[in-house]
């Protein structure tokens, strides 16, 4: 239900932040301007007594987010990877949200397993531990398969988690509609579409059958990625609310000091996690979209192990090429080309000045080159980027939300592992390799062959399509001018001839 009753939910959100002492912490971390501080405190303070109490043993921000529910916890998980945005202290506090939340009882977990798998627990597992990790949506138990003795991780959804998420998302929808109503300028950002996208992602995360399928596909696509592995999924021991995977032994990515003490090269790990994400996004168009420290481990051999595949992202070939050209343009400081790509892709309205846009992009890019991560204020950079998008009327691209969000998270993970990392230098070889293979003559030939193959599948229909076109060109009732009819017919025939030539050439060359 997305009606006005959600006003209560939003009021309680502000009241909870205020009661837990998190409002001031959040505003300080984000370096909020005085006007925003005054408005936020004025609206929330009178309702402070209505806020959820939360666990007083937790730090203020963690206390407030865990009390508010899983959707807010997800937001905190993202911020935990961005010490450059919220500060080192708050980022460290928020890291608790990744996998160290209060668990639900083992008895409830066992009941869920037996109901979902349709068998007594001891018929499937010879051992079954208490929870070893608990996050916003599910918790994990270590177990052993009865038939093979294989150690596995059993992921189980929290009781009533679907209902809890539904309440939060309905409130987000309502808030987005209010923002669009009150602030017409915000409509270019499509707040409702953003929430709709988040809603669809969450629905997929709440069905572990889909996560199991995603894990299998991800493992197949990344099998040749050096220094990276995905645990095996046991599909016959998985269901909607239960998922069983191979147990992954290693040090959690968030335990940076332990990783260093174990003799692993933190700089190399930071570079590798960033490059792996870029390769998977650009080459495969399929990537892990929840790649925070809580979902990564380092094995004894130094491999990066990924798990928790509830949120995966896909981008089509055209979008990948656009994204790569934008990245390589920034890396090469070719801001004019970056601007052209934005216009060609329709990301910026055609009536805007391309030279002014290129100049604005230069103002964004120039300050960050030659600096390491400790010298760059990502909060200020993001604020300026937002000003640029508003000035040039750029609209939110919902198909890029997961990619952009994950890029921010992975960059934060890499910086946590090695604070001095220069993301542009690390990204350059990956993006250049992709550009060489996918933008230029090679890509053009592949595109032509692909087009010919598609048209070839429609070969039996081509005579009928030509007959229809000819009939239309001579039908008296047709109101299309004769010259245009002939042009359309000529273009169609020319297309067929060109396709035939391409197919012939491909056959000969093959």
């Amino acid at each position: 239900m997305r009606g006005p009753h959600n006003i209560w939910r939003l009021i309680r959100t502000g009241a909870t932040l205020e009661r837990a002492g998190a409002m001031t912490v959040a505003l300080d971390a984000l370096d909020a301007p005085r006007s925003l501080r005054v408005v936020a405190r004025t609206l929330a303070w009178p309702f402070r007594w209505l806020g959820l109490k939360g666990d007083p043993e937790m730090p203020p921000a963690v206390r407030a987010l865990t009390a508010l529910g899983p959707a807010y916890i997800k937001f905190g998980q993202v911020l935990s990877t961005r010490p450059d945005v919220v500060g080192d202290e708050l980022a460290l506090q928020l890291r608790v949200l990744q996998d160290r939340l209060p668990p639900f009882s083992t008895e409830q977990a066992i009941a869920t397993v037996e109901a979902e798998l349709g068998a007594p627990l001891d018929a499937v597992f010879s051992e079954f531990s208490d929870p070893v990790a608990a996050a916003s949506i599910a918790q994990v138990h270590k177990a052993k398969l009865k038939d093979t003795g294989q150690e596995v991780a059993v992921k189980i959804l929290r009781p009533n988690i679907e209902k809890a998420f539904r309440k939060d998302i309905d409130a987000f929808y309502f808030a987005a509609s209010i923002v669009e109503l009150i602030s017409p300028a915000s409509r270019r950002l499509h707040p409702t579409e953003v929430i709709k996208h988040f809603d669809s992602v969450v629905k997929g995360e709440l069905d572990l059958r889909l996560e199991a399928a995603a894990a299998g596909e991800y493992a197949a696509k990344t099998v040749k990625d050096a220094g990276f592995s995905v645990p095996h999924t046991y599909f016959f021991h998985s269901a909607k609310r239960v998922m069983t995977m191979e147990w992954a032994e290693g040090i959690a990515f968030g335990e940076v000091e332990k990783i260093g003490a174990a003799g692993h090269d933190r700089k190399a790990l930071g570079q590798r996690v960033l490059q792996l994400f870029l390769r998977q996004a650009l080459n495969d168009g399929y990537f892990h979209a929840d790649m925070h420290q809580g979902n990564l481990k380092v094995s004894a051999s130094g491999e990066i192990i990924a798990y928790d595949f509830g949120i995966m992202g896909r981008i089509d070939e055209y979008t990948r090429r656009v994204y790569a050209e934008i990245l390589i343009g920034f890396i090469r400081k070719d801001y004019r080309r970056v601007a052209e790509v934005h216009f060609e892709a329709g990301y910026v309205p055609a009536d805007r000045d391309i030279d002014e846009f290129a100049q604005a992009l230069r103002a964004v890019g120039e300050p960050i080159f030659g600096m390491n991560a400790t010298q760059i204020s990502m909060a200020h950079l993001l604020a300026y980027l937002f000003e640029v998008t508003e000035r040039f009327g750029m609209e939110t691209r919902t198909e890029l939300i997961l990619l952009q969000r994950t890029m921010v998270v992975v960059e934060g993970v890499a910086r946590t592992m090695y604070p001095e990392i220069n993301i542009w230098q690390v990204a350059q070889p990956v993006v250049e390799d992709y550009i060489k293979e996918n933008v230029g003559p090679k890509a053009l030939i592949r595109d032509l062959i692909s087009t010919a193959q598609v048209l070839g599948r429609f070969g039996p229909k081509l005579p009928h399509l030509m007959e229809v076109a000819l009939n239309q060109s001579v039908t008296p009732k047709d109101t299309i001018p004769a010259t245009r009819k002939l042009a359309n017919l000529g273009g169609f025939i020319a297309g067929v001839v060109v396709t035939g030539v391409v197919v012939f050439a491909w056959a000969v060359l093959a």
Side-chain angles (χ1 to χ4, degrees):
M1 299 290 289
R2 301 174 190 173
H5 69 279
N6 281 301
I7 293 174
W8 165 250
R9 181 68 174 163
L10 298 177
I11 289 174
R12 204 166 196 188
T13 297
T16 300
L17 290 170
E18 190 68 41
R19 182 174 183 177
M23 183 70 79
T24 302
V25 172
L27 293 173
D28 287 345
L30 297 173
D31 196 19
R34 179 176 174 77
S35 57
L36 179 58
R37 292 172 184 267
V38 171
V39 171
R41 297 299 300 276
T42 301
L43 292 177
W45 190 85
F47 300 100
R48 182 176 182 275
W49 60 279
L50 292 172
L52 299 169
K53 184 179 180 181
D55 184 353
E57 299 297 319
M58 292 182 172
V62 177
R63 174 183 174 184
L65 293 175
T66 52
L68 286 167
Y72 295 88
I73 291 171
K74 276 287 176 191
F75 182 64
Q77 288 174 349
V78 174
L79 291 181
S80 72
T81 68
R82 302 305 314 200
D84 53 326
V85 174
V86 300
D88 293 332
E89 184 178 352
L90 182 55
L92 186 61
Q93 292 175 8
L94 292 174
R95 206 169 296 163
V96 171
L97 300 173
Q98 293 176 358
D99 59 5
R100 297 194 296 276
L101 294 175
F104 57 92
S105 71
T106 301
E107 289 72 22
Q108 286 178 301
I110 291 173
T112 300
V113 170
E114 293 182 337
E116 290 291 309
L117 301 186
L121 184 78
D122 56 11
V124 182
F125 303 109
S126 58
E127 295 181 15
F128 192 84
S129 76
D130 288 332
V132 295
S136 57
I137 288 177
Q139 68 185 32
V140 176
H141 297 253
K142 188 174 184 179
K144 278 188 178 181
L145 292 177
K146 185 174 182 178
D147 53 353
T148 64
Q150 174 68 47
E151 287 190 335
V152 294
V154 183
K155 181 176 181 179
I156 306 167
L157 291 185
R158 287 182 176 273
N160 302 314
I161 187 65
E162 297 90 344
K163 183 178 179 181
F165 251 110
R166 188 74 267 148
K167 286 171 59 180
D168 288 341
I169 291 174
D170 284 346
F172 293 169
Y173 271 118
F174 181 74
S177 64
I178 294 298
V179 168
E180 290 181 351
L181 179 66
I182 295 175
S183 175
S186 71
R187 293 171 192 166
R188 70 184 180 82
L189 300 175
H190 302 297
T192 299
E193 288 299 313
V194 171
I195 301 303
K196 184 177 180 181
H197 181 80
F198 178 63
D199 190 5
S200 67
V201 168
V202 167
K203 285 178 180 175
E205 197 170 5
L206 294 175
D207 187 341
L208 296 184
R209 294 170 299 188
L210 297 178
E211 180 174 346
E217 181 178 358
Y218 191 51
K221 287 182 179 294
T222 60
V223 68
K224 294 182 180 180
D225 288 357
F228 184 78
S229 67
V230 175
H232 175 71
T233 304
Y234 294 88
F235 291 97
F236 291 110
H237 300 307
S238 301
K240 183 175 182 180
R241 299 179 60 81
V242 175
M243 177 181 169
T244 304
M245 296 191 74
E246 175 188 2
W247 180 260
E249 196 64 58
I251 305 172
F253 229 70
E255 298 183 285
V256 178
E257 298 304 323
K258 283 187 179 180
I259 290 172
H264 299 298
D265 187 336
R266 286 169 44 183
K267 179 179 180 181
L269 286 170
Q271 292 174 338
R272 194 193 313 160
V273 72
L274 187 59
Q275 290 184 336
L276 281 167
F277 164 72
L278 285 173
R279 283 198 185 96
Q280 291 162 9
L282 292 175
N283 296 334
D284 302 330
Y286 190 62
F287 58 93
H288 195 309
D290 201 17
M291 220 168 178
H292 58 72
Q293 290 101 327
N295 290 336
L296 297 170
K297 286 184 178 181
V298 181
S299 72
S301 64
E303 273 195 331
I304 295 175
I305 305 169
Y307 50 97
D308 195 346
F309 309 99
I311 305 178
M312 303 297 291
R314 293 183 190 274
I315 46 176
D316 61 48
E317 178 62 34
Y318 176 74
T319 305
R320 281 183 261 163
R321 293 182 187 181
V322 169
Y323 186 62
E325 285 212 72
I326 289 173
L327 284 176
I328 200 67
F330 267 114
I331 289 170
R332 294 173 177 172
K333 300 185 181 183
D334 188 353
Y335 302 107
R336 172 73 186 194
R337 180 54 190 155
V338 176
E340 289 172 351
V341 172
H342 276 81
F343 277 81
E344 290 167 4
Y347 293 173
V348 179
D351 61 347
R352 303 305 166 106
D353 189 289
I354 191 169
D355 292 317
E356 287 186 11
F357 185 61
Q359 185 179 34
L361 292 174
R362 182 179 294 276
V364 173
E366 284 299 316
I368 65 177
F369 288 102
M371 296 182 178
N372 62 42
T374 60
Q375 296 173 298
I376 302 170
S377 169
M378 186 57 64
H380 292 161
L381 181 62
L382 292 175
Y384 185 71
L385 276 171
F386 187 82
E387 290 178 22
V388 170
T389 64
E390 183 175 21
R391 176 184 170 191
F392 289 91
M394 294 173 64
E395 297 187 351
T396 297
R397 312 294 300 194
T398 54
E399 73 274 18
L400 290 178
I401 290 173
L402 270 183
L403 179 67
Q404 293 166 341
R405 175 212 168 213
T406 309
M407 185 69 205
V408 169
V409 170
V410 174
E411 183 193 344
V413 170
R415 288 180 171 184
T416 302
M417 188 60 65
Y418 183 69
E420 290 77 27
I421 194 169
N422 185 312
I423 63 166
W424 301 104
Q425 290 177 357
V426 174
Q428 185 167 355
V430 178
V431 181
E432 285 183 340
D433 286 347
Y434 176 83
I435 291 288
K436 288 175 185 176
E437 293 296 322
N438 295 278
V439 179
K442 286 184 179 179
L444 177 61
I445 293 171
R446 282 203 306 272
D447 289 345
L448 286 173
I449 292 173
S450 178
T451 301
Q453 289 174 325
V454 171
L455 288 174
R457 290 199 295 270
F458 286 90
K461 292 186 177 182
L462 289 179
H464 174 69
L465 292 173
M466 290 189 68
E467 184 178 354
V468 170
L470 287 168
N471 286 334
Q472 287 180 344
S473 69
V474 297
T475 300
K477 294 181 181 179
D478 196 341
T479 57
I480 300 175
T483 54
R484 204 168 91 199
K485 291 183 220 173
L486 290 174
N488 290 343
L489 179 60
F492 178 78
I493 294 172
V496 172
V497 171
V498 169
T499 300
V501 171
V502 172
V503 172
F504 176 75
W506 175 47
V508 171
L509 290 173

